[in-house]
mmCIF file with all atom_site columns, all heavy atoms in Angstrom:
data_model
loop_
_atom_site.group_PDB
_atom_site.id
_atom_site.type_symbol
_atom_site.label_atom_id
_atom_site.label_alt_id
_atom_site.label_comp_id
_atom_site.label_asym_id
_atom_site.label_entity_id
_atom_site.label_seq_id
_atom_site.pdbx_PDB_ins_code
_atom_site.Cartn_x
_atom_site.Cartn_y
_atom_site.Cartn_z
_atom_site.occupancy
_atom_site.B_iso_or_equiv
_atom_site.pdbx_formal_charge
_atom_site.auth_seq_id
_atom_site.auth_comp_id
_atom_site.auth_asym_id
_atom_site.auth_atom_id
_atom_site.pdbx_PDB_model_num
ATOM 1  N N   . LYS A 1 219 ? 3.453  50.327 34.288 1.00 98.00 ? 242 LYS A N   1
ATOM 2  C CA  . LYS A 1 219 ? 3.634  49.527 35.516 1.00 98.00 ? 242 LYS A CA  1
ATOM 3  C C   . LYS A 1 219 ? 5.043  48.938 35.629 1.00 98.00 ? 242 LYS A C   1
ATOM 4  O O   . LYS A 1 219 ? 5.367  48.281 36.615 1.00 98.00 ? 242 LYS A O   1
ATOM 5  C CB  . LYS A 1 219 ? 2.605  48.401 35.542 1.00 98.00 ? 242 LYS A CB  1
ATOM 6  C CG  . LYS A 1 219 ? 1.179  48.918 35.709 1.00 98.00 ? 242 LYS A CG  1
ATOM 7  C CD  . LYS A 1 219 ? 0.179  47.792 35.616 1.00 98.00 ? 242 LYS A CD  1
ATOM 8  C CE  . LYS A 1 219 ? -1.236 48.337 35.714 1.00 98.00 ? 242 LYS A CE  1
ATOM 9  N NZ  . LYS A 1 219 ? -2.228 47.418 35.173 1.00 98.00 ? 242 LYS A NZ  1
ATOM 10 N N   . LEU A 1 220 ? 5.881  49.134 34.599 1.00 98.00 ? 243 LEU A N   1
ATOM 11 C CA  . LEU A 1 220 ? 7.267  48.647 34.688 1.00 98.00 ? 243 LEU A CA  1
ATOM 12 C C   . LEU A 1 220 ? 8.029  49.495 35.706 1.00 98.00 ? 243 LEU A C   1
ATOM 13 O O   . LEU A 1 220 ? 7.581  50.589 36.076 1.00 98.00 ? 243 LEU A O   1
ATOM 14 C CB  . LEU A 1 220 ? 7.929  48.741 33.304 1.00 98.00 ? 243 LEU A CB  1
ATOM 15 C CG  . LEU A 1 220 ? 7.329  47.794 32.252 1.00 98.00 ? 243 LEU A CG  1
ATOM 16 C CD1 . LEU A 1 220 ? 7.791  48.188 30.851 1.00 98.00 ? 243 LEU A CD1 1
ATOM 17 C CD2 . LEU A 1 220 ? 7.707  46.347 32.547 1.00 98.00 ? 243 LEU A CD2 1
ATOM 18 N N   . ASN A 1 221 ? 9.188  49.012 36.148 1.00 98.00 ? 244 ASN A N   1
ATOM 19 C CA  . ASN A 1 221 ? 9.965  49.705 37.198 1.00 98.00 ? 244 ASN A CA  1
ATOM 20 C C   . ASN A 1 221 ? 10.261 51.158 36.813 1.00 98.00 ? 244 ASN A C   1
ATOM 21 O O   . ASN A 1 221 ? 11.073 51.416 35.931 1.00 98.00 ? 244 ASN A O   1
ATOM 22 C CB  . ASN A 1 221 ? 11.268 48.939 37.451 1.00 98.00 ? 244 ASN A CB  1
ATOM 23 C CG  . ASN A 1 221 ? 12.084 49.597 38.556 1.00 98.00 ? 244 ASN A CG  1
ATOM 24 O OD1 . ASN A 1 221 ? 11.584 50.455 39.293 1.00 98.00 ? 244 ASN A OD1 1
ATOM 25 N ND2 . ASN A 1 221 ? 13.339 49.186 38.670 1.00 98.00 ? 244 ASN A ND2 1
ATOM 26 N N   . ARG A 1 222 ? 9.615  52.101 37.500 1.00 97.00 ? 245 ARG A N   1
ATOM 27 C CA  . ARG A 1 222 ? 9.799  53.519 37.153 1.00 97.00 ? 245 ARG A CA  1
ATOM 28 C C   . ARG A 1 222 ? 11.146 54.031 37.670 1.00 97.00 ? 245 ARG A C   1
ATOM 29 O O   . ARG A 1 222 ? 11.551 55.138 37.316 1.00 97.00 ? 245 ARG A O   1
ATOM 30 C CB  . ARG A 1 222 ? 8.661  54.393 37.703 1.00 97.00 ? 245 ARG A CB  1
ATOM 31 C CG  . ARG A 1 222 ? 7.240  54.068 37.249 1.00 97.00 ? 245 ARG A CG  1
ATOM 32 C CD  . ARG A 1 222 ? 6.986  53.919 35.765 1.00 97.00 ? 245 ARG A CD  1
ATOM 33 N NE  . ARG A 1 222 ? 7.728  54.753 34.838 1.00 97.00 ? 245 ARG A NE  1
ATOM 34 C CZ  . ARG A 1 222 ? 7.939  54.430 33.570 1.00 97.00 ? 245 ARG A CZ  1
ATOM 35 N NH1 . ARG A 1 222 ? 7.510  53.288 33.062 1.00 97.00 ? 245 ARG A NH1 1
ATOM 36 N NH2 . ARG A 1 222 ? 8.611  55.230 32.785 1.00 97.00 ? 245 ARG A NH2 1
ATOM 37 N N   . ALA A 1 223 ? 11.799 53.266 38.555 1.00 97.00 ? 246 ALA A N   1
ATOM 38 C CA  . ALA A 1 223 ? 13.107 53.700 39.080 1.00 97.00 ? 246 ALA A CA  1
ATOM 39 C C   . ALA A 1 223 ? 14.215 52.853 38.464 1.00 97.00 ? 246 ALA A C   1
ATOM 40 O O   . ALA A 1 223 ? 15.197 52.499 39.114 1.00 97.00 ? 246 ALA A O   1
ATOM 41 C CB  . ALA A 1 223 ? 13.111 53.577 40.591 1.00 97.00 ? 246 ALA A CB  1
ATOM 42 N N   . SER A 1 224 ? 14.058 52.524 37.179 1.00 96.00 ? 247 SER A N   1
ATOM 43 C CA  . SER A 1 224 ? 15.009 51.610 36.532 1.00 96.00 ? 247 SER A CA  1
ATOM 44 C C   . SER A 1 224 ? 16.415 52.205 36.461 1.00 96.00 ? 247 SER A C   1
ATOM 45 O O   . SER A 1 224 ? 16.584 53.375 36.098 1.00 96.00 ? 247 SER A O   1
ATOM 46 C CB  . SER A 1 224 ? 14.531 51.313 35.108 1.00 96.00 ? 247 SER A CB  1
ATOM 47 O OG  . SER A 1 224 ? 15.519 50.594 34.433 1.00 96.00 ? 247 SER A OG  1
ATOM 48 N N   . PRO A 1 225 ? 17.453 51.411 36.787 1.00 97.00 ? 248 PRO A N   1
ATOM 49 C CA  . PRO A 1 225 ? 18.834 51.878 36.619 1.00 97.00 ? 248 PRO A CA  1
ATOM 50 C C   . PRO A 1 225 ? 19.116 52.303 35.174 1.00 97.00 ? 248 PRO A C   1
ATOM 51 O O   . PRO A 1 225 ? 20.021 53.092 34.925 1.00 97.00 ? 248 PRO A O   1
ATOM 52 C CB  . PRO A 1 225 ? 19.684 50.656 36.985 1.00 97.00 ? 248 PRO A CB  1
ATOM 53 C CG  . PRO A 1 225 ? 18.779 49.736 37.717 1.00 97.00 ? 248 PRO A CG  1
ATOM 54 C CD  . PRO A 1 225 ? 17.381 50.034 37.288 1.00 97.00 ? 248 PRO A CD  1
ATOM 55 N N   . LEU A 1 226 ? 18.330 51.782 34.219 1.00 97.00 ? 249 LEU A N   1
ATOM 56 C CA  . LEU A 1 226 ? 18.560 52.130 32.814 1.00 97.00 ? 249 LEU A CA  1
ATOM 57 C C   . LEU A 1 226 ? 18.011 53.513 32.478 1.00 97.00 ? 249 LEU A C   1
ATOM 58 O O   . LEU A 1 226 ? 18.150 53.982 31.351 1.00 97.00 ? 249 LEU A O   1
ATOM 59 C CB  . LEU A 1 226 ? 17.884 51.088 31.905 1.00 97.00 ? 249 LEU A CB  1
ATOM 60 C CG  . LEU A 1 226 ? 18.370 49.639 32.058 1.00 97.00 ? 249 LEU A CG  1
ATOM 61 C CD1 . LEU A 1 226 ? 17.511 48.697 31.230 1.00 97.00 ? 249 LEU A CD1 1
ATOM 62 C CD2 . LEU A 1 226 ? 19.832 49.525 31.655 1.00 97.00 ? 249 LEU A CD2 1
ATOM 63 N N   . GLY A 1 227 ? 17.361 54.153 33.431 1.00 96.00 ? 250 GLY A N   1
ATOM 64 C CA  . GLY A 1 227 ? 16.760 55.463 33.178 1.00 96.00 ? 250 GLY A CA  1
ATOM 65 C C   . GLY A 1 227 ? 15.279 55.309 32.904 1.00 96.00 ? 250 GLY A C   1
ATOM 66 O O   . GLY A 1 227 ? 14.447 55.967 33.513 1.00 96.00 ? 250 GLY A O   1
ATOM 67 N N   . ALA A 1 228 ? 14.934 54.435 31.996 1.00 98.00 ? 251 ALA A N   1
ATOM 68 C CA  . ALA A 1 228 ? 13.532 54.097 31.706 1.00 98.00 ? 251 ALA A CA  1
ATOM 69 C C   . ALA A 1 228 ? 13.510 52.663 31.209 1.00 98.00 ? 251 ALA A C   1
ATOM 70 O O   . ALA A 1 228 ? 14.492 52.186 30.633 1.00 98.00 ? 251 ALA A O   1
ATOM 71 C CB  . ALA A 1 228 ? 12.959 55.038 30.659 1.00 98.00 ? 251 ALA A CB  1
ATOM 72 N N   . PRO A 1 229 ? 12.403 51.952 31.425 1.00 98.00 ? 252 PRO A N   1
ATOM 73 C CA  . PRO A 1 229 ? 12.358 50.544 31.021 1.00 98.00 ? 252 PRO A CA  1
ATOM 74 C C   . PRO A 1 229 ? 12.420 50.350 29.503 1.00 98.00 ? 252 PRO A C   1
ATOM 75 O O   . PRO A 1 229 ? 12.112 51.263 28.743 1.00 98.00 ? 252 PRO A O   1
ATOM 76 C CB  . PRO A 1 229 ? 11.007 50.055 31.562 1.00 98.00 ? 252 PRO A CB  1
ATOM 77 C CG  . PRO A 1 229 ? 10.414 51.164 32.328 1.00 98.00 ? 252 PRO A CG  1
ATOM 78 C CD  . PRO A 1 229 ? 11.188 52.412 32.093 1.00 98.00 ? 252 PRO A CD  1
ATOM 79 N N   . VAL A 1 230 ? 12.819 49.149 29.147 1.00 98.00 ? 253 VAL A N   1
ATOM 80 C CA  . VAL A 1 230 ? 13.022 48.789 27.738 1.00 98.00 ? 253 VAL A CA  1
ATOM 81 C C   . VAL A 1 230 ? 12.090 47.633 27.384 1.00 98.00 ? 253 VAL A C   1
ATOM 82 O O   . VAL A 1 230 ? 11.862 46.739 28.211 1.00 98.00 ? 253 VAL A O   1
ATOM 83 C CB  . VAL A 1 230 ? 14.499 48.348 27.543 1.00 98.00 ? 253 VAL A CB  1
ATOM 84 C CG1 . VAL A 1 230 ? 14.699 47.685 26.195 1.00 98.00 ? 253 VAL A CG1 1
ATOM 85 C CG2 . VAL A 1 230 ? 15.446 49.537 27.707 1.00 98.00 ? 253 VAL A CG2 1
#
Side-chain angles (χ1 to χ4, degrees):
K242 293 175 183 160
L243 293 166
N244 182 14
R245 301 310 325 156
S247 172
L249 300 173
V253 168

